[in-house]
Every structure is written in C-alpha cells, then in structure tokens.
Amino acid sequence: MSETVPVKVVLNGAFRPWTEGGETFEIHAGTLKGVLRELDRLYPGLGEVLEEDTAVAIDGVIHEIVYTQKLNPGSEIYFIPKIESG
Amino acid sequence: MAKHHVTTTINGETVEFLCDTKQSLLDVLRNQLYMTGTKEGCATGDCGACTVNMDGTIVCSCLVLGVEAEGKSIQTIEGMAKGSELHPLQQKFLEHAALQCGICTPGVLVAAKALLERNPDPTEEEVRYWLAGNLCRCTGYNKIVEAVLDAARVMRGASNA
Amino acid sequence: MLKKTEEPVKDLKVVGTRPIRPDGVPKVTGHAQYGADYYLPGMLWGKILRSPHAHARIRSIDTSKAQALPGVKAVMVGSDLPEQKFDYLGPDRVQVNFWHMTRNIMAREKALYVGHAVAAVAATTPEIAAEAIKLIEVDYEVLPHVIDVDEAMAEDAPLLFEDMITRGVNPSPTKPSNIARRAEFKIGDVEAGFAQADEIVEMSFKTSPVHQGYIEPHACLARFGADGQCEIWSSSQGHFMVRGYTAKILGIPVNNLVVHPAEIGGGFGGKTVVYVEPIAATLSRKSGLPVKIVMTREEVFLATGPTAGSSMTVRMGVKRDGKIVAADGVFKFQAGAFPGSPVMNGCMCAFSVYDLENARAVGYDVVSNRPKSAAYRAPGSPIVAFAVESVVDELARRIGMDPLELRLRNAVKVGSPTIWGPKHGHGGFRETIEALMNHPEYKKPLGPNQGRGVASGFWFNGAGESAVTIHVGEDGSVSIASGSMDVGGSRASMAIMAAETLGIPYEKVRSTVANTASIGYNHVTGGSRVTYATGMAVVQACERIIEDLRTRAAMMWDVNVDDVIWEDGCAKPANPSVGDFKPLTLAEIAAKRAVTGGPIAAEVAINAGGQAPGFSTQFCDVEVDPETGAVKILRFVAAQDVGRAIHPSYVEGQIQGGVTQGIGWALNETYVYNSKGEMENAGFLDYRMPVASDLPMIEAVIVEVPNPNHPYGVKGAGEVNIVPVTAAVANAIRSATGVRLTSLPMSPPVVLQALESESASV
C-alpha cells in the first residue's frame, strides 16, 4: 500500500463534463484505489462515477474496477465505459 | 360446457383424461398429464418443438385437438428410452454435442426416430429436409445431422448383427 | 494470486476432450425442467393485456369487470408497482434507468408500442385469464407513431418523451427529440488521413431489427407469501439479475426473493432482462397463490427486445499498397420505446480489427415505437460490421487486392491503437486470417452465379463477478456449484477445468447451478464470460482445496505441509527423504476429514478481469438464383481465436450457432410493420429463421492463441462468431452477381429487384 509507482491515466471525451478537457494525467499510485482517490481529489465526484460506471484497460488488457488491482511503473490506464453482454 | 372424456394410449400405456373442445393435445400433455417433455415454442405448428408421433406419423401436437387423441397411439419423448437404456439417437445426440440449450431436442428426437423407422439409411440431404420442420436456434443443425447419421449407422449395424 | 501462463499448459488430460455434459440425459429424455415446466398446487395462470396501439396516451383503465369474473383472483395495472426515480444508473452503454424499466414492464402514462403491457390478471385457468383481459377497458388517446430510425430523428417526428433532450451533446439542445444520446469516439485526424488515400469508398446502409429467436418463450412461476418472502422459478441468463431487477421493481429487499434457475431454452442476450417475473410476483402477492406466466410466441415478438435496426454511413480510405489510412462512420440505432440500444458498443467495435491512426465513429441512440431493444450476441458489433466489412470489400476491389490479404496488412496486434483509447492488449486476429488463407477450400474455383465473400469481426468479451463453491464428499467425489446459468454446456466445462486442476477423472466431478440463496453473486451468463470468469473461479477454488488436502495429508503423515505435493489426484511426499508414504487419494483423505479439521470445502468469489477479446474471420460461398433472387449458402468456413477450447464440441457449437443466426439476419429475418405500427409477421412462419434444409455443414476452425491471464488460456467464444456473417454473405453476393446490397435482409425480392435494376441500368 505504501509503495507507489508512476502511471499514465487517460480519460476520454466521455468524462469531459468533469475534467474540462484535461485528458492525460501522470499519477503516483500503488493500486487502482490510489488512482481513483487522486482523480477524485482533482475532480470531486469523478471517483464515484468511475467506480460505478466504468471498466479499466491497463496496458490494453481490460479489468473490472477492483480497488486492490496492482499497477506497474509506467502502466497506461484507460477508463472505458462498461460493456453490455449478450 | 361439459368436458370430453378421452381414452388413448401414450407410450404404450392406456391413459384417460378430460378436456375442453378447444384444448390442444400439447396443452393436455403438458398441463393435465404433466408430461412436460413436449415443448411449446410457437403454438402455430411452425417450430416443431411440440412434435409427437401419432399412429406412426409425426405431428405438431399444438395443431392436434385433445379429443383427436381418442383411440390413437401416441409416442412422446418420455417413451423413447427403454427404462435406463437410451435410444441410440439419444446416445448419439449426447456424444456429438447435438444439443446446447436442449429445448428443441425432444421434438427433433421424435422426428428423427420417425425418419429412421421408415428410412434406415438416409442421406445428409434427406435428414435435413425431414428435420426442416424442427427449428433450432443454438446449433446451426450441424451436430444434429451428424448425430442422426451416426445413430442410423449404429442402428443398421445392430439390426445386421 | 493469478498465475500468468505465457506458455500453453502442457500435457492436458481433460481440457480439450469431449465428454458428455452432466445435464445431457435429462435434456434428451424430456425430464429437464425449463421455465414453463414448473407447477405448484393451487397455481393460478397469469395473462397480460397488451396495447393494440403503437403510440397512445392511457387516459384510464377500468378493471372492474375483469375483477368480477368468477375464477379471477388478482388484477394489476402499472401503478401497482412502486414508482422509480428517473436516474440513469451505471455505464453509459447499458444505462439502466428504473423509471424506464418499470414502464417497460407495465405502461403508465403512455403505451409506446403495439404489445406494450398495460394490465394483467391471474385466474384459475388459462381460459378464464384470457377471457378476463378482454373485459379490461382501457381509454386510449391514439397518437401518431414513428418506427424507422431516420424518420424518428426527423424535425417533425412524433415524440415518445416530450421532455427528451439528447445527452452527450455540448451545448445541450433546446428542443426535445427522439434522440436519447449521441456518442463520439475518435483518434487522429480523419480528414488528414483521407487526404493520403488513393481510393475512398463511402456507402450508406440500412438494417432491420432482428429477434434473438430463442425457441423457448419467457416463462416463470412466482410464489409470494404473506410474510413478504417470494420464490421465483424462471429461465433467464442470470437468476441474480432476475432477483436484483425484480426486487427493485417490486420495492423489496433483495434477499426476500429467492430465484431458482430453470433450464433455459435459448437466450442470446434477450434473457438478460426481466419481463414477466415482476408481474407474476405482484399477482401472486395480491392473490396469495402461486402464479405462472408463459408468453406466447406472438407476445415474444411484440413485446420483447430484439436488437436495434439501423441507418449507417461508413467512409474509408486506402492507399494502393493496401494500407487503410482513415475510417469514418455514423451509426444511428433504433433503441425501441426506451433508450438503450447498443450503439456505443457498435462505435467501439466498428473499426477495431484494423490498425488505424485516424478513425472516428459517431453514434445516435434513437427511440421509436417498437419494443425496447435488448442485447443480442455481441450487441452492436454485427450491425456495424455489416457496413464496415462491406466497405472494406469494396476497398479491396478498388486496389485489386485479395480481401484476406488486405485484412492481413492492416490487422491489429498487441500494441495497436483502438478508437476507444487503450492499445490492444491481446493478439489473435492475424491467426484467424492466416487460418483461412491456408484453408484448402479458399482457393477453390466457383461456378456460374456463384461468389465468395470474406469478412472479419471483433467483440470485447466479458469477465466480472462469479462465485463458485467446491466440496469433497465423504467418499472423495467432488461437487462444484456456480451461480452461472448454463446456456451451452458450461457445467461440462467447469467440471473439465476442475478435473484437470485436481488431477482426477471428469466422471468424478459433478457440476450444478445453485439458486440465489445458496451462493454468492454471479453476473449474467452473457458477454462470453462464463468459461473465462467462472472457470477462473473454479480453478482458484480447486487450488484452495488442493492446499487444504495437502495440509490434511501432512497432518496424517506428521510432516510439514511443504513436504507434500499434489499430483495425479493424490497427495504424495515431495521427495523420498520425507518418508516412505503411499500416495493418499481424495477418498482416503475424505475418510479422515473429521479428525483433520472437518468438511472439505472452499468458496471463491471474484471480480475477474484480464479477459481477451474475440476475433473472427470467415468466408462464405453462395449461389444466387437469377430468376428468383434466392441465395443458397454453399459453404461457410468460420475461423475464431478462442484462446483454448476447453470442450471443443461446444466451442464448435457456438461458432456454428452464431454463424447460422447471422445467415438468418443476412437473408430473411425482419420485422414487417403495417401503417398502424402493427407487426405483421409475429410468428415463426413469416419471421423466417434458418432451418436444417437451408444450410450446408458449417465448418468451425478453432484457432488457439492462449490468454495468459487465464489458468487454461481461455478467451470467450460465444459471441464474435455472429459479427462478420452478414457482410460475408453480402460480399459473396457481390462477387456472384456484381451487385452490392446495402440493406438487410437480402431476401429474394430485394436481391431480384437489385439484379433487375442493375441489368436495366447497364
């Protein structure tokens, strides 16, 4: 929990109402929870939206939002809308 | 409106039931006799899920009235296995993975059994056209046709033994 | 906790074999119980009254005559369900708004499509129930209706919701419309990209909505007790979804409701929502008796969600050397009476197999007076693929390149960009192309009026929440239970993975599906997620059991647990120096379970991620009859990367089934509406799905590029196979006749008219 790594976080246009155009962030975090906390600090309310409404792609591989998801240094993190299944 | 008293034979057993004039045989089988192996997919005779064998001919039981069963001999899916011994068609369906959800399977099996009784050595085309009245949405029919052809082969071999 | 396997697991003994599934015998003997096969003493029959109008305000409903009919025990209308807050919850694409959902279950202010439920009764016989609904008097104010997506978007279109303002547009529009939402995805600069192109193709397309076509109509049995506890037996793609949605719609706590999973007779996405359960439960509450509701086939067509119809325009540019330089698409999807078409999925999937620097996809979710759309096998992706893969086919023609070669040159791989942001994390696409390039039938010459078409497709595949329990019986036999509904043989796959992990024969493992009270939450069976996510949970649970068994063996031998290994289904000393101990089987350890700590059981509940997408490439040969326009499928070969085929027969079955649905979508399936907005072909005779005599053998080519995030390398297999089919068929027709069809279905009258106008214009 104490060890953090630098990661690149990208939010696409769907999140514009919160981020006012800012899209790419350099964040230091050890887990996904850390990333959410940091984004929520920058844009209050955004953390809740990301938790409820998105999945996340870490270096291209899709994961559900799970707090304890570990991150690697230099990972690229994209928040994407969740996928409907059929 | 008084009900009709019907006496018939189902899977070799004498069965009596009461039904309304308008009730279909499918409805009687399922909702009165609790023989739910025969399924309702459309109630208009288009999907074959309700196929039963009546006096040697396959029919859509949703298009047969309950009263028409009087004096007839009816075979349903429940009568296909002999005790714990599966019919070769049932066995081959399992081996070939010829079912996924399984809802069309009783109708297909009853229809396929009727085919093999009159044509023990059908071609692939003959199997496909015979089963054209049985809709399946899961399998694309591939493994169903393979299973029927394999069961036919086994049944021919057994009868030659 | 998750072991990454870069190399394929060697020497698999059970994975990849084709054993018989555990639910097989009940299904071939007619004993398996589906949603309509349950009965309880005193059971009533429910029947639903449906709107005859496509669009109408409901001024009043008088149920008194129905109530008075002898045999009627309960009557309900929309206001018998609690009101829901108007709030879009959850991810954009599948935004659930319970205010909409409760109104789809039963109308309140307006009837929004022919078939919309407006009231329901429960009576002692189905005949009395049918009689009773005819006695319900509804005062409708009929309104003009609109169905077609382009017409629904027009300036003067009748509005379904007078206050609907399009979301996703900045600044917000001031006037209401039927456009619920606009979505846009883009990378790079499409115009700069097109400037580099040697050839540009732009085409517009229209597709008809199609129904999932499951043979089993929706059905359930509900028993609501005087203590507020309810039990429901229903067939669905997710009994936890049934519990959750039904509890919310009824306004009761989730654990007051126990849902028992009946066998399901097909879903394909259409049974990931509820229709009859809240109604049956409410009627049961009011009457104090169990209530059964079974939809007729007509009701299934009138009132359950098909996938969206669409109107699309796609423009793509390519250089002479085969590099695709730009792609631009506008996709308008028909959501039906309430918002929620899969248009965002469509935007994200449309160009996802191509390595593109410049791409844009814009989507519109549009409401219109027909049933609310529901998921259908890779929702959204097959629709956009019809447009995109047709355009790519024309691009290949323009530059004189083989269509497989063109796809190979632009194929995505690990690290390729996506239009929705991240880089691709998994490969597998090029292997599906290569499988077909090397296929002996691909180069086979064709005869007159025959043609060959190629297409590819992409689907995300899912993961998510799964819970599994495993226990070892007193005699060493193993039982596993999950909460994942089995639509296509997953019970067998779970048993295979468990047997492989534990090192025991398949026959020693029993696999079942538990009800909502007996196991942790499981997400729906859909999105090609179960073999992946529930399989992962099964393997993890087995690994825990193995840990436990090693610990018990160590106790029995008085050694350290590190000195015990598990191999071939037995506990063994790690090396001879540990001691001269004979291997202990599951049965032997189970016999000593009480003294070694008690029952041998494990539960694993996970929120799985790390899934890999599905890629499929297909080719199809057709023969077109120039006199009738009828299209005959001569050959269909579908290659798909499935990571690893746990049970190859069921993987083949998924591919063959998806292709067949796609063929129906391509050639015949459609909704025919009259001027009053009534569906004229609401039955299987005229809603024409493929039958056995329509098809040849469909060849499924299984490609395996394992997913390192799953213990056995699994990638979801169920959905992507439907994605390329309509375009493969359209491209084959183009090849056979020279005519490019841009609307679905390509039924004989449509093909014939195209052939005749083509020859007329020559």
Side-chain angles (χ1 to χ4, degrees), chain C residues 223-229 285 288:
Chain C
R223 187 183 61 73
F224 201 114
D227 58 355
Q229 312 253 348
R285 176 175 60 81

Side-chain angles (χ1 to χ4, degrees), chain C residues 467-481:
Chain C
V468 155
T469 73
I470 295 199
H471 60 267
V472 178
E474 311 89 274
D475 61 354
S477 58
V478 174
S479 303
I480 54 177

